[in-house]
Amino acid sequence: MTQHLAAPSTGTSDDAPGHRTGWWQDAVIYQVYPRSFADGNGDGMGDLPGVTARLPHLKDLGVDAVWLSPFYASPQADAGYDVSDYRAIDPMFGNLLDADALIREAHALDLRVIVDLVPNHSSDQHEWFKRALAEGPGSALRERYHFRPGKGTDGELPPNDWESIFGGPAWTRTVNPDGTPGDWYLHLFAPEQPDFNWEHPAVADEFRSILRFWLDMGVDGFRVDVAHGLVKAEGLPDLGTHDQLKLLGNDVMPFFDQDGVHAIYRSWRTILDEYPGERIAVAEAWTPTVERTANYVRPDEMHQAFNFQYLSTAWDAAELRKVIDSSLDAMRPVGAPTTWVLSNHDVTRHATRYANPAGLGTQIRTPGDRELGLRRARAASLLMLALPGSAYVYQGEELGLPDVTDLPDEARQDPSFFRAEGQDGFRDGCRVPIPWTREGTSYGFGDGGSWLPQPAGWGELSVEAQTGVEGSTLELYRAAIAARRDHPGLGAGTDVEWLDGPEGVLVFARPGFVCTVNTTGAPVRIAARGRVLLASSPVTVDGAEAELPADTTVWWTV
């Protein structure tokens, strides 16, 4: 059942976070994974009251907005990305009054609130899908999903050869109410996540209503999950190959990045534009090229799109320069800000990715060289925050947290871990609850332990342990975000000016500002570019020259 507030919320975007035009153009947006951020009731699971209580940390960090991963009613087959009721809060996270309080408190702190929206699929416990199964073949509700008869003599084979992102066929066969084998339904992810049929007008109507529900609650925008997946190619044609996961990101697929998705987002944009306070939409769109990503942020569609090409780039000067240029070039014609992101809830934290050799992908099972990884992560963070556009920070990266790579199998909860094929299934490592204090049963996460085990020594990386400590990763982030806000040459923009530098060193200028990045494993001498504004590692300036330590970024004001 959908929950209802006792009274309508008045916590609209106009109530607090300023009225700066185009705020998203240079925003620093902080991703909260609610189950792992803070536990308000001591049950070992993070929740909305916990998030609300810790919002002052985000205010002190200096970010502009908080993006919340799903907190909707859900059986939690995929950590909340299987939604059974889009207008209700799952009891593990609280209720709608808690969501209302969070939005109001965030606005009082001049923080905007972006919520996840999951339009590609629902939970198999969604009322539509449950009724579609109960009513059997011929149910009108089946048209809101992709039900198809199977192939073979008795329909025993899937309708096509599509494979689930989580491994195995993307189809599951149903059982009719009389117990006989029935049709199949499509699920690009887990079987508990049936895909909506966006060709059906009721689906589009429902999501326009959902948008308005949350906009009326006062949210400032939506991060759209699997934004590239809503529309499927006509006739659901076979792909003609196996190991389809290897093709993702290399070509337009019959189930991903179809051109028809853009009509949906144009209709959503008209709704967003009706509301005051500049509400936005952000696309999670895995596409073959940044040019195709740019299609999602044309002037009448979404406002931002995640730059996954940047996230997956190795710590290499030439590769970084290439992806920075291509990203800026792709967004410039559509007038959208380029976004930069290093970590999120689906990939190994960059402090661990950079601790390992390049080429291992974005899910890594080995801890690597922790000291090297942290040094590179700090340098990469300063690089990201110096680039023109909007930056995303995943909870805990401001603490320099590594991935927890040694979780015991019995503790893991990533659904793809339990499947024979598909994603590696090691996303739990980046979802371990973050530490707030040096001591305590869960290092300040809550009074009742944590849903994933935290490693020994986690407390020394906590907010408490790093606050006020010169050179700590937390203070580096605080200083960088403050400088980004105050320096006229940082923040929004569409260009960088590349300057000459030694091999393995990136040097670029923005108005009154220069950034130098040494991606090599050895110190490098360069010309001093002005006054040191900030550095990821101590830098020595000797007159007109400076020595950049290995894997170090320096900001100069000129």
Side-chain angles (χ1 to χ4, degrees):
M1 291 290 291
T2 299
Q3 302 162 3
H4 294 281
L5 285 171
S9 169
T10 59
T12 67
S13 292
D14 285 345
D15 291 338
H19 304 282
R20 181 165 54 96
T21 301
W23 66 269
W24 65 89
Q25 299 281 344
D26 62 354
V28 178
I29 300 174
Y30 186 98
Q31 181 189 356
V32 163
Y33 193 67
R35 63 174 57 206
S36 299
F37 191 65
D39 174 13
N41 63 3
D43 67 354
M45 185 69 66
D47 49 38
L48 296 186
V51 175
T52 302
R54 293 295 188 179
L55 287 176
H57 169 66
L58 304 188
K59 175 69 173 179
D60 293 342
L61 189 60
V63 301
D64 299 287
V66 53
W67 151 37
L68 297 156
S69 292
F71 46 68
Y72 308 108
S74 166
Q76 303 295 321
D78 185 25
Y81 283 93
D82 50 317
V83 181
S84 58
D85 189 338
Y86 290 84
R87 297 177 184 85
I89 309 298
D90 194 279
M92 75 163 56
F93 298 126
N95 55 44
L96 279 175
L97 288 172
D98 295 322
D100 181 65
L102 190 159
I103 294 166
R104 292 173 185 273
E105 181 61 19
H107 287 171
L109 294 171
D110 291 332
L111 296 168
R112 296 179 186 263
V113 178
I114 296 169
V115 299
D116 237 305
L117 187 67
V118 188
N120 179 71
H121 49 261
S122 73
S123 165
D124 62 353
Q125 297 305 302
H126 191 285
E127 283 300 319
W128 285 2
F129 193 77
K130 289 197 299 182
R131 286 176 52 196
L133 290 183
E135 293 174 7
S139 169
L141 286 168
R142 292 195 171 204
E143 297 175 8
R144 301 181 186 187
Y145 295 90
H146 293 280
F147 282 85
R148 296 289 188 278
K151 294 181 178 178
T153 305
D154 298 310
E156 71 278 8
L157 301 175
N160 68 20
D161 64 0
W162 294 359
E163 297 172 0
S164 165
I165 304 303
F166 288 167
W171 296 88
T172 290
R173 195 171 193 184
T174 65
V175 177
N176 291 326
D178 64 3
T180 60
D183 289 339
W184 298 68
Y185 68 89
L186 175 68
H187 53 87
L188 292 179
F189 295 88
E192 297 88 351
Q193 296 169 290
D195 279 46
F196 284 117
N197 174 17
W198 273 87
E199 302 296 329
H200 196 288
V203 175
D205 288 345
E206 172 68 356
F207 274 91
R208 283 192 289 266
S209 174
I210 292 166
L211 288 176
R212 292 186 185 279
F213 177 88
W214 288 103
L215 291 168
D216 289 341
M217 280 276 289
V219 303
D220 300 281
F222 303 91
R223 176 265 192 188
V224 182
D225 184 62
V226 196
H228 54 297
L230 277 56
V231 172
K232 279 65 174 177
E234 185 176 357
L236 309 184
D238 282 338
L239 205 56
T241 184
H242 294 291
D243 294 327
Q244 294 170 13
L245 283 178
K246 297 178 181 179
L247 302 177
L248 295 180
N250 297 316
D251 201 357
V252 176
M253 311 286 277
F255 46 78
F256 279 165
D257 198 29
Q258 293 290 305
D259 290 337
V261 299
H262 299 289
I264 297 168
Y265 301 132
R266 285 192 290 272
S267 74
W268 289 10
R269 181 60 177 264
T270 63
I271 294 173
L272 292 168
D273 288 347
E274 291 174 11
Y275 283 79
E278 295 188 309
R279 319 293 179 97
I280 71 166
V282 182
E284 185 217 25
W286 290 89
T287 68
T289 64
V290 288
E291 289 77 17
R292 287 197 67 86
T293 301
N295 291 336
Y296 291 78
V297 288
R298 288 175 286 199
D300 60 347
E301 294 191 37
M302 299 204 208
H303 299 76
Q304 291 185 349
F306 287 137
N307 188 348
F308 292 116
Q309 285 82 6
Y310 183 75
L311 180 150
S312 57
T313 300
W315 183 243
D316 175 87
E319 292 300 312
L320 286 165
R321 177 169 175 170
K322 180 180 177 181
V323 75
I324 290 168
D325 280 342
S326 63
S327 300
L328 292 170
D329 290 346
M331 296 299 153
R332 199 176 295 116
V334 295
T338 307
T339 64
W340 314 100
V341 60
L342 292 168
S343 290
N344 63 38
H345 64 290
D346 280 333
V347 300
T348 299
R349 289 182 178 276
H350 61 281
T352 296
R353 296 202 315 273
Y354 292 147
N356 282 273
L360 298 182
T362 58
Q363 285 196 12
I364 297 174
R365 307 180 188 183
T366 55
D369 183 334
R370 165 68 178 145
E371 181 180 345
L372 173 65
L374 180 59
R375 188 169 69 245
R376 288 177 171 178
R378 289 164 57 96
S381 298
L382 281 196
L383 168 59
M384 174 182 76
L385 291 168
L387 293 169
S390 179
Y392 281 78
V393 174
Y394 177 52
Q395 65 176 45
E397 74 174 69
E398 78 276 19
L399 305 176
L401 295 186
D403 238 61
V404 181
T405 57
D406 59 352
L407 286 171
D409 288 356
E410 59 270 20
R412 294 187 179 275
Q413 298 191 33
D414 185 346
S416 57
F417 177 77
F418 301 98
R419 299 175 69 87
E421 302 172 5
Q423 293 181 342
D424 288 339
F426 289 87
R427 296 177 297 175
D428 290 318
C430 66
R431 299 175 179 182
V432 173
I434 67 174
W436 294 94
T437 60
R438 283 191 172 94
E439 305 292 339
T441 58
S442 61
Y443 304 106
F445 171 66
D447 296 331
S450 75
W451 67 283
L452 284 172
Q454 299 162 300
W458 213 227
E460 292 308 306
L461 298 174
S462 66
V463 174
E464 179 186 36
Q466 296 195 43
T467 293
V469 177
E470 184 177 357
S472 72
T473 302
L474 175 57
E475 294 300 342
L476 177 69
Y477 266 78
R478 287 173 172 167
I481 294 171
R484 174 187 166 95
R485 177 170 291 172
D486 294 340
H487 196 291
L490 291 174
T494 59
D495 299 279
V496 298
E497 177 189 356
W498 294 107
L499 306 176
D500 292 335
E503 185 176 356
V505 177
L506 293 174
V507 185
F508 66 83
R510 301 188 66 193
F513 173 89
V514 172
C515 181
T516 55
V517 186
N518 179 11
T519 67
T520 74
V524 175
R525 292 195 68 82
I526 64 167
R529 296 290 178 169
R531 177 175 61 85
V532 174
L533 181 62
L534 198 60
S536 63
S537 299
V539 60
T540 301
V541 180
D542 181 15
E545 288 195 332
E547 183 174 281
L548 287 183
D551 302 305
T552 294
T553 296
V554 179
W555 288 5
W556 310 81
T557 186
V558 297

